[in-house]
Amino acid sequence: MSETPGHPPPEGSLERAILEATLAALERDGEAKLRMRDVAEAVGCSVGLLYHHYGDREGLIEAARVRQFEGLLDQDIRTTEAALDACQSAAEFRARLSSLATIGSGPERAEKRRQRIAVLGAAIQRPALLAAVGRVQSDLTSEFQRVLEKGQARGFLDPRVNARALATFMQSYTLGRILSDIDPSGPIPDEDWSELTLKFLLQFT
């Protein structure tokens, strides 16, 4: 991210407001029409503050895209960990897998899948953004790996499986649902997708 050296982003509600306003402008008008002045007016801060903390327009866009990408997987990790913590036996965990099989893949998550793809696409030709998104992705995968390793330690998941590989693969099939979202012949029925996902997950219990 091309922030001004020595000036970290503002903390708390101000940073959230700046990045949310930036993302709203990007969604509404696209990157080409984004203006620092419009973001500053939406937030009620000075343009100078944006330059002070983010360096330039590109730095602001990068910060917003990274925040957007970061927030899309946290809920799935928390849901998986909550399911593990609530179970007392491997059999109980297997019974709960039917609900976990639908995480991140339902039609209500289509917009979030689209956003993740959009961030990755925007990062391909931008080394700084790609590196920042890569760091966020690595951290998220590590957190998911930790959750799965907890399941292995409790005997709910096969300990022979590489937990990081499983964490990565689980993210990939969820994100891959976007291929169904854009299929002109129609999306795969939710029940069929969930059934296939459940069969996959059961192999690791």
Side-chain angles (χ1 to χ4, degrees), residues 68-104:
Q68 181 181 33
F69 190 82
E70 187 176 30
L72 298 178
L73 188 59
D74 286 345
Q75 181 181 352
D76 297 344
I77 295 173
R78 290 196 301 271
T79 300
T80 302
E81 185 164 27
L84 281 169
D85 291 343
C87 294
Q88 300 301 316
S89 68
E92 186 179 353
F93 180 67
R94 286 172 64 88
R96 282 179 175 264
L97 278 179
S98 57
S99 61
L100 292 180
T102 63
I103 289 179

Side-chain angles (χ1 to χ4, degrees), residues 20-47:
E20 286 173 4
T22 303
L23 286 172
L26 291 172
E27 289 294 310
R28 184 180 63 249
D29 303 321
E31 287 191 11
K33 295 184 178 180
L34 181 75
R35 299 194 315 161
M36 301 279 274
R37 183 173 300 281
D38 292 340
V39 173
E41 289 178 356
V43 175
C45 69
S46 69
V47 176

